Amino acid sequence: MPTCRRKRVLLTEPSPALLDALKNDPNREVFYLAQTGEIFETYEAYVARMSFYRLKQFQCEVTGKSGLDYFQALESERHEARTMHSRFPDQLKAAVLKAVQWQVMGRLDHLVEAVYDRFKDRYYPDEKVYVEIQGEKYLAHIIQVFPPKTSANVKRTPAPVASSSSTPLPDEPMAIHKVAEDLKIPVKDSIAMDDPAKYSYKVQILEEERQPGFGKPDKSKGKETNRGQWGGQLMDVDCSKMNRDRLAFSKSILRRFIRDCVDRDAAVASPWTVKPAIAARYGVSSIMPEEIRKGVETLKKGESDKRKKVWEEKEGPASKRQKRAAAAAENGVTEKIMAAIAEQREREAREKAEAQQKAKEESERLAAEKKKKKPIRYPTEDLDVVLGDKEKRAGMKVKRPVPSKLAMPFGEDQDTNSAFLMSWNFIVVYGQPLHISPFTMDDFEGALRHSVIEPQCQLLAEIHATLIYILRTVPFNRHSAVISLVDYKQDHGDNDNVFGVTIEQLTEAMADVGNNWERAPLRHSEGRDGWEESLVGCLKDHANLENFPRLREVLTRLLFSPENTQEPSGSTAPSPSTSPAPLRLTTPTHPGQLYHKLPAKDRVDIIAFMCNLAVSSKAIHAHMETCEEQLTALRKEKIEVNRTKKAYLEEIATLEGEINPDAKPQTNGKTGDEDVAMHDLSDLSDVPNSDAEDAAPKQTGTRRSAAKEREAARAKAQSAKQAQADRRRLEEEVNKLERRLEGIEREFRKLLGAVRVKPLGRDRFYNRVWWFDGMGAASLIGSGGTVQYGTGRIFVQGPSEFDVEVLRRREEDVDRRRREEEGEEGMLGVGEWAVYNDVDEVREFVDWLNPKGVRELALKNTFTKWWNHIAPGMRRRAADLNANAKIPEARRSTRKHAGADILREPYMQWTNRKAINGS
């Protein structure tokens, strides 16, 4: 029956008024829908139903075709049903229908599986089957079936006359394969009772003209085989040599046949029943046996009681549950019925488990064969690539060079390292909208560790000032920090304190600081004076304990100082040590006097918080959109440059053929020899006059041909010279285009870094490799072609949580392999950072990458692409660090020279060339 939105379309039943009119007013006019047989009282109801049937929203239940109207879907189902009934063996129909009659199974698929397993190796008289003879299959006709010769066996079936599919059904069922028709008997038990392999079949091979593919040559042998030698012969075979046509009997055909012939009520535990008309045609009893009826009622009652019990256990009153339990104990179901139910469920579970086990074994076998037959094609999954002895002898590195965790800016503090890298990358990449010049990561680290109030660090002032300016354009909630602290006090009380300062004291100190932060000038020409107070005001309005968990500690350090202030040590900025945190801060102090005492970790947290807020500003979004437009323009330009380069290379190849032809000219040597020979002949005075007169025309012709050859040689040389000049010109143009392509790649990296920051790639263990140079406002090449760097390092980040889960799902022991190829000290956890500072270490890492893996091949190609910028940048950074290194005695200077010593630090010599005048 056609379906609409996965539901069967039911026909409209006549209304009670029409049924009454049939008795009282038989001449009453009605509207009749001939295609469906429906009757309507009014024309409106008739039209509405017809309009519904004409909608293209119906689906053929058999084929699954959709987008049909009702009548098209109905015709499709009827056509498929006719085709299916014509193909399905008539001899099997009665047996299959008797087997499925009154069966209680939840899913049709389970019923199909059970029937197919019973009848796939059982054959009936008058069937057409394929018989295997000497490796060839022949269509044959079953003449007689011989059951196993056992005492419990039924009598042998008499030999029937060969018949066609139109043979009328026998009056009495054949006494063969009777056990298969009872699905209550398990498959193994039915085979033990009536083994299909022990049946014998007398078959008659059909004539050659009736064999499939008659007259067609055998492609495997290249000639027509003699298949007529077996035509008409009788032979005895068993089921192992026989099989049915897949178009006549398969699970899909069987499913369609059963679905077309049976039906089932919607009630719980309803049995499958053969439709009455079909049951009458094939001699299937439509009267449910008393035993089966009791079993079905028991199943229904059991399911109903089960559902009712679940409901009562959840929602029913306790007294009622107790009463029903007592009544069930007195009037409980008999042990026989319960045993029958348990046996049926156990049988279904066992058959299902067997089917699943068979399917699993078959899939494993197919997978093993596929894996065995299919050769590995590289590149493939990196973890599937294992170094063999051949690669090891060839010099492939087994163990990866260990990146240093301690060489990270903040050692093994992974959270601070992540915030530090993100902050530096954001400020440098968006230098244009932030109006700040690029600076190296070493300068940024040095500025964060600057711990003296005088001289002031211009880089710190510019970073905070430009972020404050950009955050003035981001919406905020006034006094959000104070509100958050007060809410925390109400929830947790004011008993706890941080560095000896309570929440009440902190909010009082915050009240008069930074209230005018969004209007404070912070001019570049004045050294951004007052930026510390504006920073506190910015945190007051933008931060809270939810988006900035360390807000209370940071504000306490910025607004309170210890009672006995100590002079800050004159330690230089690059020193890894930070000022020890005071135990108690009790004296309210201006933030401008305390920021230099703030630990570097707190400074990183502040800047990272401000960068996260600045991402949502209009200036940053507008810059991203501009970069997207420029990226599109660069992509188009790259296509044009490559097209022009290809045309130039084709012209060069053409000119190369003109400059170096296959035939080498030898005309000059030949002409000289001929001239000498002619000169000798002219000097012979004893030659007769007649001979001299005959030689004169020959000498004239030879001179003319030599002149023509010399002229052609000169023209050819001139042409080759011109072609060589054109080739040099084209090669210069190609070189220009290649330099332009390199420039496009650098510009593309700069612009892409402003839109999304991507790693260079991932290794076999999903470690991410980062190189942050040359993105955004930073450049890889300075004026005059000098090398520039931002980090001058290669960072390695551990796999993400998702990647770790992927590694865990692999069958092999990935941890053991990581210990072998990375080493215990080189294994990075989720999100952990490490760094390569030396060029030789990076080169060893690149050599360790295996190009047979997809990830490491892509990573190695990326390293090759950018190596001419990575290696010089790392060498330049190493040279700068060596040039700025101080001997230990130089650090032991007096306070008189401490300020001058710090001023020589690279981060103190940085100036902001992009600062806007007046801001």
Side-chain angles (χ1 to χ4, degrees):
M1 183 175 291
T3 59
C4 180
R5 297 185 180 91
R6 298 184 180 180
K7 293 183 179 179
R8 287 188 172 186
V9 180
L10 301 179
L11 300 180
T12 304
E13 296 291 338
S15 63
L18 283 178
L19 296 177
D20 292 340
L22 180 62
K23 300 177 181 179
N24 303 326
D25 188 11
N27 296 325
R28 180 178 176 178
E29 293 185 355
V30 293
F31 297 90
Y32 176 64
L33 187 57
Q35 292 92 330
T36 61
E38 294 173 294
I39 302 174
F40 303 93
E41 288 186 78
T42 63
Y43 180 72
E44 290 76 11
Y46 169 82
V47 171
R49 192 65 175 176
M50 179 62 79
S51 300
F52 170 70
Y53 285 149
R54 291 297 183 187
L55 294 176
K56 299 287 186 178
Q57 61 182 12
F58 295 90
Q59 184 178 15
C60 174
E61 193 176 19
V62 178
T63 62
K65 293 180 182 178
S66 58
L68 309 174
D69 64 30
Y70 179 84
F71 306 112
Q72 291 173 342
L74 188 63
E75 179 59 30
S76 176
E77 290 184 359
R78 290 173 178 171
H79 174 73
E80 291 297 324
R82 287 193 295 268
T83 304
M84 180 269 299
H85 279 285
S86 64
R87 290 178 177 174
F88 196 83
D90 286 344
Q91 298 75 17
L92 269 181
K93 291 179 180 178
V96 170
L97 293 177
K98 289 177 182 178
V100 301
Q101 180 75 313
W102 314 121
Q103 291 299 317
V104 180
M105 287 192 183
R107 293 177 56 87
L108 180 62
D109 293 337
H110 299 163
L111 187 62
V112 171
E113 289 283 348
V115 173
Y116 182 80
D117 291 340
R118 298 301 180 94
F119 290 95
K120 64 180 180 180
D121 292 328
R122 298 181 184 272
Y123 300 92
Y124 290 82
D126 214 23
E127 266 197 271
K128 289 184 179 179
V129 296
Y130 283 99
V131 178
E132 184 177 353
I133 305 174
Q134 298 180 358
E136 296 284 342
K137 289 189 177 182
Y138 296 85
L139 188 61
H141 187 265
I142 297 179
I143 301 299
Q144 194 171 3
V145 179
F146 301 103
K149 297 179 180 180
T150 60
S151 58
N153 191 25
V154 295
K155 63 179 181 178
R156 177 173 298 184
T157 304
V161 182
S163 62
S164 64
S165 60
S166 61
T167 303
L169 294 172
D171 295 334
E172 297 181 2
M174 297 182 180
I176 57 173
H177 305 306
K178 299 302 292 183
V179 178
E181 297 178 6
D182 189 358
L183 296 185
K184 294 180 181 180
I185 304 175
V187 177
K188 292 183 177 178
D189 295 344
S190 67
I191 293 176
M193 296 170 60
D194 187 24
D195 192 353
K198 296 180 179 180
Y199 275 76
S200 177
Y201 302 89
K202 178 177 288 187
V203 299
Q204 183 179 20
I205 308 300
L206 298 184
E207 291 77 6
E208 183 179 8
E209 294 79 5
R210 300 175 62 184
Q211 294 290 338
F214 169 70
K216 296 181 180 179
D218 191 343
K219 297 181 179 179
S220 62
K221 300 180 181 179
K223 61 180 181 179
E224 186 174 347
T225 58
N226 184 16
R227 300 174 60 91
Q229 59 178 332
W230 302 102
Q233 293 193 17
L234 296 174
M235 57 182 62
D236 292 337
V237 294
D238 56 20
C239 64
S240 63
K241 299 294 184 180
M242 304 165 61
N243 66 285
R244 295 184 177 95
D245 189 355
R246 287 191 57 83
L247 294 177
F249 185 78
S250 64
K251 287 185 180 180
S252 59
I253 294 291
L254 182 60
R255 175 187 173 86
R256 289 163 58 183
F257 173 74
I258 295 176
R259 183 170 57 184
D260 190 63
C261 295
V262 302
D263 204 349
R264 182 178 61 174
D265 293 338
V268 178
S270 295
W272 293 96
T273 58
V274 180
K275 296 177 181 179
I278 299 176
R281 180 182 177 187
Y282 292 102
V284 181
S285 175
S286 298
I287 301 175
M288 185 183 297
E290 187 65 20
E291 181 183 358
I292 296 178
R293 186 184 60 78
K294 290 181 179 180
V296 170
E297 290 179 355
T298 302
L299 285 175
K300 287 185 177 182
K301 188 175 184 302
E303 290 293 333
S304 179
D305 292 345
K306 182 179 178 181
R307 295 187 180 187
K308 191 177 295 184
K309 182 179 179 181
V310 171
W311 178 84
E312 289 177 353
E313 288 177 354
K314 291 183 178 179
E315 302 180 7
S319 60
K320 190 172 183 180
R321 290 201 300 268
Q322 293 174 357
K323 290 181 180 179
R324 295 187 66 87
E330 294 177 0
N331 306 319
V333 185
T334 60
E335 295 181 359
K336 183 178 180 181
I337 297 176
M338 297 299 296
I341 296 173
E343 182 182 356
Q344 182 174 359
R345 291 179 179 174
E346 183 180 355
R347 183 175 70 250
E348 291 180 359
R350 185 168 60 250
E351 292 178 356
K352 184 177 180 182
E354 291 176 357
Q356 291 178 350
Q357 183 65 22
K358 288 181 181 178
K360 183 178 179 181
E361 292 176 356
E362 183 67 16
S363 61
E364 290 177 354
R365 185 185 63 79
L366 293 175
E369 291 181 358
K370 186 176 180 182
K371 187 175 181 180
K372 186 185 297 182
K373 294 179 181 178
K374 188 175 180 181
I376 299 177
R377 298 183 62 182
Y378 298 108
T380 184
E381 164 58 36
D382 296 72
L383 293 175
D384 292 339
V385 180
V386 180
L387 286 183
D389 296 335
K390 183 178 179 181
E391 288 85 354
K392 293 178 181 179
R393 288 194 297 269
M396 284 288 292
K397 294 183 177 297
V398 178
K399 189 173 181 180
R400 185 191 71 181
V402 179
S404 175
K405 297 180 183 179
L406 297 176
M408 289 295 295
F410 290 88
E412 296 188 2
D413 188 351
Q414 301 300 331
D415 294 337
T416 306
N417 283 327
S418 298
F420 172 82
L421 293 173
M422 184 276 293
S423 304
W424 176 85
N425 183 72
F426 177 84
I427 296 171
V428 172
V429 165
Y430 296 107
Q432 182 174 345
L434 293 176
H435 305 293
I436 189 170
S437 300
F439 48 86
T440 66
M441 187 174 285
D442 293 321
D443 292 344
F444 186 49
E445 181 182 357
L448 291 175
R449 299 189 187 279
H450 184 79
S451 59
V452 295
I453 192 170
E454 289 293 340
Q456 293 186 358
C457 178
Q458 183 185 3
L459 179 55
L460 271 182
E462 291 294 331
I463 290 174
H464 287 86
T466 189
L467 291 175
I468 290 171
Y469 269 116
I470 205 77
L471 290 183
R472 290 175 178 176
T473 63
V474 177
F476 57 85
N477 296 322
R478 183 73 67 181
H479 303 303
S480 64
V482 177
I483 296 173
S484 178
L485 290 171
V486 171
D487 292 342
Y488 180 84
K489 175 183 175 182
Q490 292 177 353
D491 295 339
H492 301 83
D494 198 17
N495 297 327
D496 62 328
N497 57 71
V498 175
F499 304 126
V501 178
T502 63
I503 291 179
E504 185 176 358
Q505 293 173 333
L506 179 59
T507 53
E508 290 177 358
M510 293 166 57
D512 299 328
V513 180
N515 292 328
N516 197 34
W517 72 275
E518 69 270 22
R519 290 183 293 275
L522 304 181
R523 294 185 178 89
H524 172 70
S525 57
E526 298 176 358
R528 308 291 187 181
D529 185 38
W531 67 267
E532 296 93 344
E533 184 176 355
S534 295
L535 172 63
V536 175
C538 179
L539 293 178
K540 282 171 55 178
D541 290 345
H542 277 288
N544 54 59
L545 292 175
E546 185 177 352
N547 60 15
F548 193 9
R550 302 196 69 253
L551 174 65
R552 186 177 176 185
E553 291 83 352
V554 170
L555 289 178
T556 302
R557 288 180 180 273
L558 284 174
L559 296 175
F560 290 89
S561 64
E563 292 181 358
N564 299 324
T565 57
Q566 298 179 355
E567 294 294 334
S569 61
S571 61
T572 57
S575 174
S577 62
T578 57
S579 302
L583 298 177
R584 293 185 63 82
L585 304 175
T586 56
T587 306
T589 309
H590 191 273
Q593 303 296 320
L594 295 176
Y595 186 87
H596 68 282
K597 297 181 180 180
L598 201 64
K601 179 180 178 357
D602 290 345
R603 302 184 190 186
V604 171
D605 290 341
I606 292 173
I607 296 175
F609 171 73
M610 298 175 75
C611 290
N612 285 328
L613 294 179
V615 172
S616 60
S617 64
K618 293 182 179 179
I620 299 298
H621 280 201
H623 182 69
M624 287 183 180
E625 293 176 359
T626 303
C627 291
E628 287 280 9
E629 295 174 358
Q630 294 178 5
L631 283 171
T632 302
L634 281 179
R635 292 187 183 100
K636 294 180 180 178
E637 184 183 358
K638 184 178 180 180
I639 292 173
E640 291 297 328
V641 171
N642 280 323
R643 185 180 291 120
T644 307
K645 178 184 174 183
K646 182 179 179 182
Y648 284 164
L649 291 175
E650 290 176 354
E651 292 184 24
I652 291 175
T654 304
L655 294 174
E656 194 72 32
E658 296 180 4
I659 296 172
N660 298 317
D662 295 335
K664 297 182 180 180
Q666 298 291 339
T667 54
N668 291 338
K670 292 179 181 178
T671 305
D673 295 339
E674 290 170 356
D675 288 343
V676 172
M678 286 186 293
H679 179 73
D680 293 340
L681 288 174
S682 63
D683 291 340
L684 294 176
S685 56
D686 56 345
V687 177
N689 293 335
S690 60
D691 294 340
E693 290 175 357
D694 293 338
K698 294 181 180 180
Q699 294 176 1
T700 304
T702 304
R703 290 193 186 97
R704 288 177 181 174
S705 61
K708 290 181 180 179
E709 290 179 358
R710 286 193 295 271
E711 185 66 25
R714 282 194 296 270
K716 191 171 184 179
Q718 184 67 24
S719 176
K721 184 177 180 181
Q722 182 64 33
Q724 199 162 7
D726 293 340
R727 185 185 67 175
R728 284 196 296 269
R729 176 181 60 81
L730 292 174
E731 287 176 348
E732 291 176 0
E733 293 294 332
V734 169
N735 291 334
K736 290 180 182 178
L737 294 177
E738 289 178 349
R739 288 194 295 272
R740 178 55 191 151
L741 287 174
E742 293 177 1
I744 289 175
E745 289 294 336
R746 291 194 299 271
E747 293 177 22
F748 197 89
R749 177 175 173 81
K750 291 176 64 175
L751 296 172
L752 188 62
V755 179
R756 67 186 70 87
V757 181
K758 298 171 62 178
L760 290 178
R762 298 183 296 176
D763 67 5
R764 67 195 65 167
F765 301 115
Y766 293 95
N767 294 308
R768 290 159 286 182
V769 182
W770 297 87
W771 179 53
F772 295 105
D773 293 7
M775 291 191 291
S779 179
L780 294 172
I781 298 178
S783 58
T786 58
V787 177
Q788 290 186 341
Y789 67 92
T791 61
R793 285 167 276 187
I794 295 296
F795 295 92
V796 183
Q797 186 183 14
S800 64
E801 293 182 358
F802 176 78
D803 296 332
V804 170
E805 185 64 26
V806 172
L807 293 176
R808 288 174 182 167
R809 291 178 182 175
R810 290 189 61 86
E811 297 178 358
E812 63 176 316
D813 189 356
V814 179
D815 291 336
R816 180 187 58 79
R817 184 172 175 182
R818 291 190 68 180
R819 285 190 293 270
E820 293 177 357
E821 300 182 9
E822 292 182 322
E824 289 285 351
E825 65 280 5
M827 294 174 61
L828 299 178
V830 176
E832 287 188 344
W833 289 89
V835 65
Y836 289 117
N837 288 317
D838 188 64
V839 180
D840 295 334
E841 289 180 338
V842 178
R843 186 178 285 108
E844 291 179 8
F845 173 72
V846 176
D847 293 339
W848 174 77
L849 299 176
N850 195 329
K852 291 184 178 180
V854 287
R855 292 188 295 277
E856 294 194 355
L857 174 63
L859 178 58
K860 196 162 190 173
N861 291 338
T862 308
F863 265 112
T864 304
K865 177 181 177 181
W866 295 105
W867 185 253
N868 291 334
H869 299 285
I870 294 175
M874 297 185 71
R875 296 192 188 97
R876 172 79 182 274
R877 175 178 180 265
D880 291 347
L881 291 178
N882 292 332
N884 296 323
K886 303 175 183 177
I887 58 175
E889 289 77 6
R891 296 186 179 273
R892 299 175 185 172
S893 57
T894 61
R895 282 192 60 194
K896 181 177 179 180
H897 299 92
D901 188 35
I902 292 177
L903 286 174
R904 287 195 290 270
E905 293 291 339
Y907 73 91
M908 294 295 292
Q909 299 174 11
W910 175 88
T911 57
N912 188 7
R913 296 182 177 86
K914 292 186 178 181
I916 301 176
N917 294 330
S919 64

